[in-house]
Amino acid sequence: MNGDQACAEGAIAAGCRFFAGYPITPSTEIAERLARRMPEIGGAFIQMEDELGSMAAILGASAAGARSMTATSGPGFSLMMENIGLGMMLELPCVVVNIQRGSPSTGLPTLPGQGDVMQARWGSHGDYGVVAYSPASPQEAFDLTVHAFNVADRYRLPVFLLADEVIGHMVERVIIPPEKEIELWPRKRPANGPSTTFEPFRADPDDLVPPMVHAGEGYRLHYTSLTHDERGYPEMSAEAHQRLVTRLVEKIRRHTQELTLFEASQLADARVVVVAYGCTARSAQRAVREARTEGIPAGLLRFISLWPFPEAVLRDAAQGADALVVAEMNLGQVAREVERHVTVPVHRVTRAGGEMMPPDPILEAIRRAANGHRADERPSA
Amino acid sequence: MNGDQACAEGAIAAGCRFFAGYPITPSTEIAERLARRMPEIGGAFIQMEDELGSMAAILGASAAGARSMTATSGPGFSLMMENIGLGMMLELPCVVVNIQRGSPSTGLPTLPGQGDVMQARWGSHGDYGVVAYSPASPQEAFDLTVHAFNVADRYRLPVFLLADEVIGHMVERVIIPPEKEIELWPRKRPANGPSTTFEPFRADPDDLVPPMVHAGEGYRLHYTSLTHDERGYPEMSAEAHQRLVTRLVEKIRRHTQELTLFEASQLADARVVVVAYGCTARSAQRAVREARTEGIPAGLLRFISLWPFPEAVLRDAAQGADALVVAEMNLGQVAREVERHVTVPVHRVTRAGGEMMPPDPILEAIRRAANGHRADERPSA
Amino acid sequence: MMNVFSRIPLDLAEHTVPRGHLFLIRERCKGCRMCVEFCPRQVLEESAEINAKGYHIPQIAEGRVSECVHCQFCTLICPEFAIYSLEVAA
Amino acid sequence: MMNVFSRIPLDLAEHTVPRGHLFLIRERCKGCRMCVEFCPRQVLEESAEINAKGYHIPQIAEGRVSECVHCQFCTLICPEFAIYSLEVAA
Amino acid sequence: MPPTAIEQTSAHPLDRIIRADRMPHIWCPGCGIGVAMRSYATAILESGIPEEQHVVVSGIGCSGRVAGYMNIDSYHTTHGRAIPFALGLKLVKPELKVTVFSGDGDLAAIGGNHLIHAARRNVDLVVICANNFNYGMTGGQLGPTTPFGARTSTTPYGNPELPFNLPYLLAAAGAAFVSRWTTLHPRQICEDVLYAFAKPGFSFIEVLAPCPVGFGRPNRIEEGLDEMELYRHRCVPADGIPLDQMGIDLREERPIYVGRLIDRDLPPYRLQVAPS
Amino acid sequence: MPPTAIEQTSAHPLDRIIRADRMPHIWCPGCGIGVAMRSYATAILESGIPEEQHVVVSGIGCSGRVAGYMNIDSYHTTHGRAIPFALGLKLVKPELKVTVFSGDGDLAAIGGNHLIHAARRNVDLVVICANNFNYGMTGGQLGPTTPFGARTSTTPYGNPELPFNLPYLLAAAGAAFVSRWTTLHPRQICEDVLYAFAKPGFSFIEVLAPCPVGFGRPNRIEEGLDEMELYRHRCVPADGIPLDQMGIDLREERPIYVGRLIDRDLPPYRLQVAPS
Amino acid sequence: MRTEIRVGGFGGQGVALAGYLIGKAASLYQDLDAVVTQAYGPEARGGASSADIIVADGPIDYPFLTRADVLLLLSQEAYSRYRWEAHADAVVLIDDGLVTPDGGDAPHGIRATSLAEELGRRLFANVVMLGFFSRVTGIVERATLEKALETTVPPRTLEMNLQAFALGYESSPETEPAA
Amino acid sequence: MRTEIRVGGFGGQGVALAGYLIGKAASLYQDLDAVVTQAYGPEARGGASSADIIVADGPIDYPFLTRADVLLLLSQEAYSRYRWEAHADAVVLIDDGLVTPDGGDAPHGIRATSLAEELGRRLFANVVMLGFFSRVTGIVERATLEKALETTVPPRTLEMNLQAFALGYESSPETEPAA
Ligand SMILES: Cc1ncc(C[n+]2csc(CCOP(=O)(O)OP(=O)(O)O)c2C)c(N)n1
Ligand SMILES: Cc1ncc(C[n+]2csc(CCOP(=O)(O)OP(=O)(O)O)c2C)c(N)n1
Ligand code: SF4
Ligand code: SF4
Ligand code: SF4
Ligand code: SF4
Ligand code: SF4
Ligand code: SF4
Ligand SMILES: [Mg+2]
Ligand SMILES: [Mg+2]
């Protein structure tokens, strides 16, 4: 099963019963699999007229109570940005999958890239918190899709699965656990039924997440993309805006630890720590292994979550290290975040995309780092 | 004249003869003024069916040889992202104005914000270089619009004017210089006419910018949003991609100094440097003045260009300072960039938007900074 | 050109005529005069009085108080949910 | 149901018949057989020969070499810009 | 008898179905949106379908504010995206009556693609379009229904574009039911909304509404009332008039056709089902 | 006489108007796009308008690759945005003949809004739509013209959606000229493109084209040739048939109407001009 | 010198125009700097509306009101909202046909809307108010405000605008009796 | 143990399926790990096409070929492109109806396409090739490949697929004479 198909199966396993999408290489296989599978299990598959519509439709489905998903790649992700902002504002849980290809623009439709990491964080206008996961195998595409739905429901927001073409199209064994072994977190729901005092956007102070009410449940609720108060009514004031936007950012930031997923390998004694994610982490794994055979004490910190930025685990991993190597298939998007949090030299290994980064350049960077070379100055504009 | 109108007049003064837009508060007055003015001077004004169309239309106009512009606010800017990427890929000069309002989503349509700074940098998928200017008065809206056209033509890309609702709607005296006093940089054009060996995407090694050819000039050129070689032909290879994308980023990064605009006031002896831009800089100006009356040696570094990030002037300004204060109407977008480049404590003064940040909180931050308080830990997720 | 709107009063004429009593939520009214102009019985007129927002509210025209046939057209046509008539028990 | 396509051969029949000579850019051909099927004179047939991409290219059918009337339909219908006929001086 | 004050009260019979705590609404004096909304509100009450089963979805615009004023489950989404949002909602809970209420700009300019595709699919939605011939919310710009030659803030020299004939467009796109009325026809709007509630597939109800501030003034229709008078004089039943004649023109001599324009049975959209 | 090899050559008479250095193109064996493109190429040569004055703009898709193969000024833009890009270009240089060549998905799905609005404005563009009833490029998914019940990779149980009747939609939106042909009609396509070059306003030429890989195989039309045969048997001149009957259905008994469907004089889009 | 002026009313009363005219008169026709800002209600018309003008004899940094020195109030809502945010001794001008001042307050009143209605168009109440403002405060002169009117309003309405201005300027600037 | 296998041809030859079947047989029905990756041509069909399979007895990190140990080549283009990127002593299998090997090279040849055509559908050339591959290399067994076919291809085509496989498996694995 390839990563796309695994992602589709993950959605089904997570209880997703609404998929709206628009074909785009290399994500199309997700839609194609769900087109076949959804009708088998009583779920909804609809191919929309464009990605704007796809994104809006999964938000509507979420508002009605469904777990919903869409899948796309860079160009479609760009088109979804406005309605991703809507999902953030209305706090509608759903999952948005981006199987990254060579960007910008139409770029390299069939070839891999990891260039949409910063876009996932900042692509819609304004401030809001973001959660994104990046799988390194089809199995993980399955697992993280399930997890993304759980996180979406717990924190009430669109969650991103940022995979890449290599993972999406690579065929590997995927084990789908039996239904009862799959942990599903419930959507946060109000304790009581409709009442005149219920405020749909009053968040619990402990987690900053308001319980969610669906259409047709008798609450007569109002959701608006305008700045709103706790009742959900538009309120055009700086105070209401500050309260709302801060909460949207803080509800994620405050849970950074719970939201962080990573894999550390051979970090205990590592002097050179390689940071990588998605497909690139597989090459990094090999580079680290080869470095070890050369006697270089290298280790790998694989980010599984990219947003909120896993700064604590990064700082921990950097603690004993002399240098970091950040390998990624873009021109240094995660590297620039890494640089904000550590004081040791950061060696960037970057590729614009078009083919999976091979282990060699990473190995070379490890060697350079181990020999105490200065990190290349590459200030990012 | 308000900032929107000044921007419109700036476009006309810059020789812009094509405007395509879609109304959105608080940018609408730009369209409205150009709807009246363009027909007076033989230029084209067209209101498109949406912002996707507006952005595509100004690219087409640029391809035909015109100076072209669109204007919008956050939601429309989000919708333009895919075609902004197209403009970056095809290297089509044009100007995109974003009069920022309270974000995210529909937010506060009539009230100010500065929340789209990071979006301007990262909003479309993939890597590419970006230039953005932020005016602090209607006069500057005029001046920077002219400048934005010049930069767009010299470096061949869509250039952003990132203003805010305060500047857009604020009415102040604007002096429009006589035509011959306005400096216009020519679009970079090929030295020779059509020939079989001409390669439209072969950049000069010194500035990385290929001279531009327009439709109807006999070159029979091909522009594609796919990764392309120097002939402009699609080339689906990692090498071509690396070459192209690196150039798109480097052609801007390499010219950071030329592209940087800033205003320094009272920095010579400043121990506390306030960094601000757009409308917020006006409050910062007052806060600095008041701090000085209290005997605090404060100064103001006003960023006029936001992208490429003015890191060199920032580092210079931070040199003698004990602390920085970054004031902005978002939750710390420029502050996080500032933190990457300086070692002194950075005090963030943030507001989600909805009203112009008043001088008081900035003054207070200056006082705190002067007293050696620790900068608040506010790691941004 | 046949006039669509004219249907309403036509239909009404065929029924026994009920009577209506009018109510107004004063602060909702924006003085648009729709109720005044489209009342088929000319029951209403603009008053000199203005509400807190500065709009002239309607009043019942001289001698027309019992002319209201509770056709509810004022109720239907008021964009402000401000005026309505209730049927008076015959 | 009147057949639109049938117009072409019909029209042709009314003219004095020219003659055509065929050319093929072998490596462009993808063996789709459009030229073969839609030649109104059955001049062409699929050959056993395959080009570098593995496609069977067309050939002139047994005894049909002089049947080509230079109607150019093969030229027009070839999606590959591979085959064309030129008029032979009569 | 001298003129009498009307008896003052603080509640309206419809207050239970509108958000009375948000009244007065933001619409200008003479704006027609309120009339269109109350016709919809009345239809809900008369529908026999419990209020809890009704959902309204709006885009952005003056007309888009309707979602914020209806006291039912209501969604005020982004500009142009009400239809796909409503579609997602409806497909998940087909038992709900989902109505889209928005403006001509929202539905037919930026949202035009969703409009024609929803009509094509014949999704079971009721769309009420308050057509005021311009973008009211942003201050009276050209819209896709602005008549040729009309003045707006972005066509100061007269509109150079031809407008959509919305019923014709919707018919060509595939809608099952299309009607047109004006705010002078609150009863007919209500009736047709009720009819559309009961009709499977995609229904589109165009309601011409005055926007004196945005469209009226620049075109010498100073007050809402003046536009209503214009409707009174020029509305004509559409019976038998071909759809391509349904365009609206400001020129005095042209009638405005109103009535039920399309009512046909086409298979309504059904999700794919796997053969068992 | 035994079978004869055809004389081999390395150049084609059209090589000067196509980018011969990029041949063979990427299209599959039996794909119809090449035929549609050559008909357009021929029209350029026959138009009498210098080749330098022709511009082609495409979106993304197999059909969208046409821009990359035409040896004229050519723009391969983003998915769905060819029309507004072309519009901007045309308004700046009205002396150029700007043609949009793209697919059914590009023009009528994601690009649907621009299509209807350009038609409404009656902008002076020629749009050639290669309609192959599916998204070829991405591997044969449902498109807005896929017939009801047809199988595609995203409608494995049969398409539950009704397709657009494109000529009807374009007529309702406001196009000045609309015609439909198939890849079996290269001469007619060429003629109509020539006619459209000369006609002011918005022209739309729909060219039905086989996509054996994406649409054909799942629907038992194995080869491009088979679809051409189907055209041969079912194409019927549209003379007198009302536009709402122009829908294409796969069921055997339904004819496919071809020909010039709309040809009318509507004011073409002109930029606003200030009275002097 | 920095003087902060607020004009308040509801949509449709020409509040924005009044603010604009003050700013234009000051910055283009007098030797002053001025900034005009405006509080929009919701995107649409019909809500509360206000315009603020800062007039100063040098560059203006913070362009908004911190505390008003002068108020021109055309609606009760505006009065309740803005009166007590302003300096207690601010110069307060009201349309006293629309505004009933609070007990203890003694603003300068003029029946601007009624006067404008008498002139034929209630829309000119703002200009009446401007005349009144010029007369009472003297911050911006009659001549420059009239010049601003001339260069701003449609020519065909100029005459009536000037009449409205004169009505305001010439009405006696009496203080409302403190109720 | 890490074995790198590449299948090359053009679109429509079932290259991807062949790769998939090898991977599936190895990872699901044999005690091996496997990754299958695929080089797409441009988004459309009809260009060059290849599929790579890494088979290993433990977790696979880098999932792509570094240098092929085994090649299955179904077109001349694929041969020219891939043959000399592979190890010089790689096991090379070609459809020798379509591929003419370079001088000095001695791949294992089978007329896969012709055989498939004889069977009735040239589309089955890939499966013929699979049988041949299993027989020549033994990396993946006949039984597991047949099982992979059974669980993958549409039931109505299974019979013909198995026949094609057998054709390939049973044809004599002769080496092409070095030309
Ligand atoms: C993406 C985006 N673009 C533009 C706007 C600005 N905008 C808000 S409402 C509107 C037009 C509304 O027109 P219409 O739908 O006709 O509603 P009306 O106000 O006339 O009732 C526009 C352009 C927006 N909110 N979002
Ligand atoms: C924004 C965006 N979404 C999706 C795609 C993927 N995509 C490329 S072509 C295409 C469909 C093309 O269909 P059509 O226009 O009918 O052309 P055809 O390939 O059938 O000729 C799609 C969905 C894309 N490139 N960009
Ligand atoms: S109910 Fe009818 S008759 Fe009575 S006031 Fe209203 S409109 Fe007039
Ligand atoms: S229709 Fe309503 S808002 Fe208008 S005047 Fe009558 S009561 Fe007032
Ligand atoms: S030119 Fe006409 S007759 Fe000759 S081979 Fe071609 S199609 Fe046949
Ligand atoms: S039509 Fe062209 S591609 Fe097809 S078989 Fe004939 S020559 Fe070859
Ligand atoms: S601007 Fe127009 S549409 Fe909006 S509320 Fe006012 S009158 Fe109504
Ligand atoms: S996939 Fe279809 S449309 Fe695309 S090239 Fe192949 S046959 Fe043509
Ligand atoms: Mg409108
Ligand atoms: Mg297609």
Side-chain angles (χ1 to χ4, degrees), chain B residues 109-378:
Chain B
T110 60
L111 302 174
Q114 297 183 313
D116 310 346
V117 176
M118 287 297 275
Q119 185 195 25
R121 178 67 193 85
W122 300 107
S124 195
H125 55 291
D127 286 295
Y128 51 90
V130 161
V131 182
Y133 295 103
S134 174
S137 67
Q139 180 68 54
E140 208 170 55
F142 176 90
D143 298 339
L144 288 178
T145 302
V146 175
H147 187 64
F149 275 104
N150 286 341
V151 168
D153 270 353
R154 177 164 294 175
Y155 300 99
R156 286 192 62 181
L157 81 171
V159 169
F160 303 131
L161 190 80
L162 269 189
D164 49 65
E165 186 272 344
V166 172
I167 303 303
H169 278 163
M170 163 172 145
V171 178
E172 230 173 14
R173 190 171 40 227
V174 173
I175 294 161
I176 301 182
E179 208 176 304
K180 60 179 188 304
E181 283 173 27
I182 295 175
E183 193 191 341
L184 296 185
W185 305 352
R187 191 171 282 191
K188 192 169 171 184
R189 305 275 277 132
N192 305 306
S195 78
T196 50
T197 56
F198 178 75
E199 294 182 318
F201 288 89
R202 167 82 55 200
D204 291 349
D206 53 329
D207 67 355
L208 303 181
V209 180
M212 182 162 170
V213 169
H214 301 149
E217 297 182 335
Y219 288 86
R220 299 180 181 234
L221 47 85
H222 182 52
Y223 279 76
T224 176
S225 61
L226 290 164
T227 296
H228 42 271
D229 62 17
E230 283 66 20
R231 287 172 305 172
Y233 284 9
E235 187 173 334
M236 304 291 96
S237 79
E239 296 68 44
H241 196 60
Q242 181 79 16
R243 216 159 62 231
L244 176 59
V245 178
T246 309
R247 185 170 65 72
L248 295 180
V249 171
E250 284 294 307
K251 77 174 178 184
I252 302 308
R253 200 196 59 73
R254 192 189 276 190
H255 298 104
T256 301
Q257 203 187 328
E258 293 90 315
L259 292 165
T260 295
L261 294 179
F262 66 100
E263 186 184 42
S265 81
Q266 299 181 281
L267 285 188
D269 63 340
R271 316 289 314 191
V272 178
V273 172
V274 181
V275 175
Y277 53 94
C279 73
T280 312
R282 296 176 74 122
S283 294
Q285 182 66 68
R286 165 149 354 160
V288 164
R289 212 185 55 218
E290 291 180 9
R292 288 259 168 193
T293 66
E294 295 179 10
I296 304 171
L300 174 65
L301 173 62
R302 178 165 76 89
F303 285 164
I304 299 174
S305 60
L306 292 175
W307 303 113
F309 193 72
E311 43 185 88
V313 302
L314 173 68
R315 274 192 294 258
D316 286 355
Q319 207 84 77
D322 300 328
L324 297 187
V325 170
V326 183
E328 54 190 332
M329 276 160 54
N330 57 50
L331 299 186
Q333 299 187 9
V334 163
R336 72 201 302 285
E337 294 302 304
V338 168
E339 287 161 2
R340 296 176 64 230
H341 297 287
V342 301
T343 46
V344 296
V346 174
H347 295 258
R348 296 174 168 209
V349 187
T350 63
R351 285 288 183 280
E355 67 187 13
M356 179 171 172
M357 184 184 295
D360 287 359
I362 308 175
L363 180 58
E364 260 166 49
I366 295 175
R367 290 193 195 117
R368 275 202 314 276
N371 292 335
H373 282 290
R374 263 167 41 82
D376 348 314
E377 277 282 356
R378 193 192 305 225

Side-chain angles (χ1 to χ4, degrees), chain A residues 282-283 286 356-359, chain H residues 2 60-66:
Chain A
R282 296 176 75 122
S283 293
R286 159 133 19 148
M356 180 169 169
M357 184 186 292
Chain H
R2 174 181 167 117
I60 295 162
D61 44 35
Y62 184 62
F64 286 103
L65 243 70
T66 39

Side-chain angles (χ1 to χ4, degrees), chain D residues 12-31:
Chain D
L12 276 172
E14 295 166 27
H15 292 76
T16 30
V17 181
R19 267 201 56 199
H21 183 76
L22 293 169
F23 296 86
L24 179 72
I25 308 174
R26 182 190 164 98
E27 295 310 327
R28 286 190 188 173
C29 172
K30 290 189 186 145

Side-chain angles (χ1 to χ4, degrees), chain D residues 12 18-22 34-36 38-44 60 64-65 67-77 83-86, chain F residues 6 187:
Chain D
L12 276 172
R19 267 201 56 199
H21 183 76
L22 293 169
M34 300 284 178
C35 56
V36 172
F38 293 105
C39 168
R41 309 281 302 166
Q42 283 87 41
V43 172
L44 298 163
I60 296 168
R64 309 292 298 172
V65 71
E67 293 299 312
C68 172
V69 293
H70 184 56
C71 74
Q72 292 195 288
F73 205 67
C74 57
T75 316
L76 296 173
I77 211 83
I83 196 170
Y84 59 93
S85 100
L86 289 183
Chain F
I6 305 173
R187 285 189 218 273

Side-chain angles (χ1 to χ4, degrees), chain C residues 14-87:
Chain C
E14 294 166 27
H15 293 74
T16 31
V17 181
R19 270 200 55 198
H21 182 76
L22 293 168
F23 296 87
L24 178 72
I25 307 175
R26 182 190 164 98
E27 295 310 327
R28 285 189 188 172
C29 172
K30 290 188 187 146
C32 67
R33 290 191 294 136
M34 300 285 178
C35 55
V36 172
E37 293 296 322
F38 293 105
C39 168
R41 311 279 304 164
Q42 284 86 42
V43 172
L44 298 163
E45 66 181 19
E46 191 179 80
S47 74
E49 211 186 328
I50 51 181
N51 64 11
K53 293 227 160 184
Y55 297 116
H56 288 277
I57 60 175
Q59 65 187 4
I60 295 169
E62 203 173 319
R64 308 294 297 173
V65 69
S66 54
E67 294 298 312
C68 171
V69 295
H70 185 57
C71 73
Q72 292 194 292
F73 205 68
C74 56
T75 315
L76 295 173
I77 210 82
C78 170
E80 304 295 329
F81 304 86
I83 197 171
Y84 59 93
S85 99
L86 290 183
E87 189 163 359

Side-chain angles (χ1 to χ4, degrees), chain A residues 13-193:
Chain A
C16 171
R17 290 298 176 271
F18 187 90
F19 179 93
Y22 189 81
I24 183 167
T25 309
S27 78
T28 307
E29 290 88 338
I30 298 174
E32 289 176 342
R33 189 165 188 107
L34 289 172
R36 190 168 290 280
R37 297 280 281 123
M38 282 295 187
E40 287 174 6
I41 57 170
F45 170 90
I46 184 163
Q47 185 179 311
M48 294 297 288
E49 50 276 13
D50 57 23
E51 289 89 349
L52 304 157
S54 304
M55 189 64 215
I58 70 164
L59 293 179
S62 173
R67 281 194 157 185
S68 62
M69 181 168 101
T70 189
T72 189
S73 188
F77 201 47
S78 287
L79 289 176
M80 289 178 184
M81 281 304 151
E82 199 209 355
N83 285 300
I84 285 174
L86 177 65
M88 297 296 174
M89 196 65 153
L90 303 188
E91 301 181 68
L92 294 173
C94 57
V95 173
V96 178
V97 180
N98 175 354
I99 310 291
Q100 294 164 95
R101 59 194 220 181
S103 308
S105 203
T106 311
L108 299 170
T110 61
L111 302 175
Q114 298 183 311
D116 309 347
V117 175
M118 286 298 274
Q119 186 195 24
R121 178 67 192 84
W122 300 107
S124 195
H125 55 291
D127 285 294
Y128 51 89
V130 161
V131 181
Y133 295 104
S134 174
S137 67
Q139 180 69 52
E140 207 169 56
F142 177 91
D143 298 339
L144 289 179
T145 302
V146 175
H147 187 64
F149 275 104
N150 286 340
V151 168
D153 271 354
R154 177 164 293 175
Y155 300 100
R156 286 192 61 181
L157 81 171
V159 168
F160 302 131
L161 191 80
L162 270 189
D164 50 64
E165 186 272 345
V166 172
I167 302 303
H169 278 162
M170 160 173 148
V171 178
E172 229 174 13
R173 188 170 44 224
V174 173
I175 294 161
I176 300 181
E179 207 177 305
K180 60 179 186 306
E181 282 173 27
I182 295 176
E183 194 190 339
L184 296 184
W185 304 352
R187 190 171 283 190
K188 191 168 170 185
R189 305 274 277 134
N192 305 305

Side-chain angles (χ1 to χ4, degrees), chain E residues 33 62-63 102-106 130-137 143 145 211:
Chain E
I33 300 171
C62 293
S63 311
S102 223
D104 50 301
D106 187 75
N131 179 3
N132 52 19
F133 308 108
N134 86 119
Y135 295 170
M137 177 62 96
T145 57
C211 169

